[in-house]
Amino acid sequence: MRQVAALPYQIDATGHARVMLITSRESRRWVVPKGNPVKGIALHEAAAHEAFEEAGVTGIACPTALGEYRYAKRRRDGTTQSMNVALFPLLFREQADEWPEQDERETCWFDLADAAEAVDEPELKVLIAGFREPPAPTPLSEWAMPAVQSKMRETLPILRWFHALMPQQGRFFELFEAHAATLVAGSEALAELFQDGADIRAHIAEIIRREHQADDITREVLFDVRRVFVTPFDRSAIIDLIGTMDDAIDQMNATGKSIELYELTTFEPQMRDMTGIIVEAARVTAEAIPLLRRLGPNAQRLHELTSRLIQLEGHADEIHEAGLKALFKAHGNSTPMTFIVGREIYSHLERIVDKFEDIANEVQGLVIDHA
């Protein structure tokens, strides 16, 4: 038997993550909102529906599950049945004042470690623990480049003197992480834009603001590449990584501008699903980027995160294809201009997800070359 579940989460400005758990109705143990699939709606939508029914939570659900876990469901006759549950991340938007099961359950926000400890199911513990926030930024003074330092000690005195005169440390990691934060904020504004069509101008303005911030950060990175003598990675790798990250938010900006140009206020379900994937891809990227500070110890985690990005891109391709088919079927013959405009929006969304896959490829290249 299969069920679906939601993992409502929040990540604050410092990168600290919390998830919401609820109590079960009978045993009062801590669980995630879950229930049976609903015929006619997608699995992640059914999970989001359960989150509202059981916790009053609304948010942006990612169509790609984090994974699955098993538990033994107790029946009324005393027997148990093994259930497989697909767990979908749900970016928290708000909690209602009233919801159907409000009087039957308690809700509580947990830190990730506490949440993993609170639930009983071993596989769910692993999924929650694996959904972890980016680590705290490491000061520049703690950069670990033993190979470079060793080589410098071996150089001739005149060369050591020359090295001492040159700027040897930029702010690359801090700038990468700041850019990743603009991707998160931009993706969330984009998803909000597609949710209900409300406050469209405000959401587009937020995307534009974040894109301008990202441009400033990119220029700072390129400036440091030119002026810094010792860089943590090859200069071309630094330029490629920041360029790819900047392309992602540029595409978000292009999407918002197209929506403004065509004065769109309603969006197809598959478009909203793709923005859910974009939000998840930005979250994963924001976790991966700080790990570049120590590639060796973080190589395995980076492999997991880049694999997740590639998985998201593959699922987005499927949604994109299904959305185009549905759009053509609905408007291809009767209102072709609606189809043309919708196809352009789909293309923008697909390019955004493709850029996150490019980020994954750049990070994988760094791991291969330097870990």
Side-chain angles (χ1 to χ4, degrees), residues 138-158:
T138 304
L140 283 172
S141 60
E142 295 182 18
W143 278 19
M145 291 188 290
V148 172
Q149 294 168 0
S150 176
K151 287 293 183 183
M152 288 180 65
R153 285 193 296 268
E154 296 172 3
T155 55
L156 295 173
I158 186 63

Side-chain angles (χ1 to χ4, degrees), residues 144-304:
M145 291 188 290
V148 172
Q149 294 168 0
S150 176
K151 287 293 183 183
M152 288 180 65
R153 285 193 296 268
E154 296 172 3
T155 55
L156 295 173
I158 186 63
L159 189 54
R160 289 203 304 271
W161 174 80
F162 175 72
H163 284 178
L165 292 179
M166 298 296 293
Q168 294 184 17
Q169 291 181 334
R171 297 165 295 156
F172 296 108
F173 294 129
E174 284 87 348
L175 293 170
F176 287 151
E177 291 162 23
H179 200 295
T182 68
L183 294 178
V184 171
S187 69
E188 292 179 5
L190 183 71
E192 293 283 358
L193 171 61
F194 277 80
Q195 287 300 306
D196 49 23
D199 298 325
I200 285 181
R201 289 186 179 275
H203 296 315
I204 292 175
E206 175 66 6
I207 295 169
I208 293 172
R209 186 172 75 87
R210 297 297 182 173
E211 192 269 341
H212 290 166
Q213 289 179 349
D215 284 344
D216 292 340
I217 294 167
T218 300
R219 283 192 289 270
E220 288 293 321
V221 171
L222 297 179
F223 176 74
D224 276 0
V225 166
R226 291 193 298 270
R227 77 176 184 87
V228 173
F229 186 71
V230 178
T231 58
F233 314 122
D234 294 340
R235 297 174 193 277
S236 61
I238 292 172
I239 293 170
D240 290 344
L241 176 58
I242 197 65
T244 303
M245 294 173 68
D246 203 50
D247 287 344
I249 194 143
D250 284 346
Q251 284 298 326
M252 294 181 202
N253 189 31
T255 307
K257 287 183 176 179
S258 292
I259 289 170
E260 187 174 39
L261 172 66
Y262 298 120
E263 300 181 342
L264 301 178
T265 58
T266 59
F267 305 97
E268 304 298 324
Q270 293 88 348
M271 293 179 181
R272 290 194 293 272
D273 288 348
M274 291 186 74
T275 63
I277 285 181
I278 290 167
V279 167
E280 175 69 357
R283 180 194 71 80
V284 173
T285 299
E287 180 180 351
I289 293 301
L291 302 182
L292 298 179
R293 292 173 178 269
R294 293 184 175 90
L295 283 170
N298 295 324
Q300 179 58 39
R301 181 60 179 169
L302 284 168
H303 174 72
E304 295 168 359

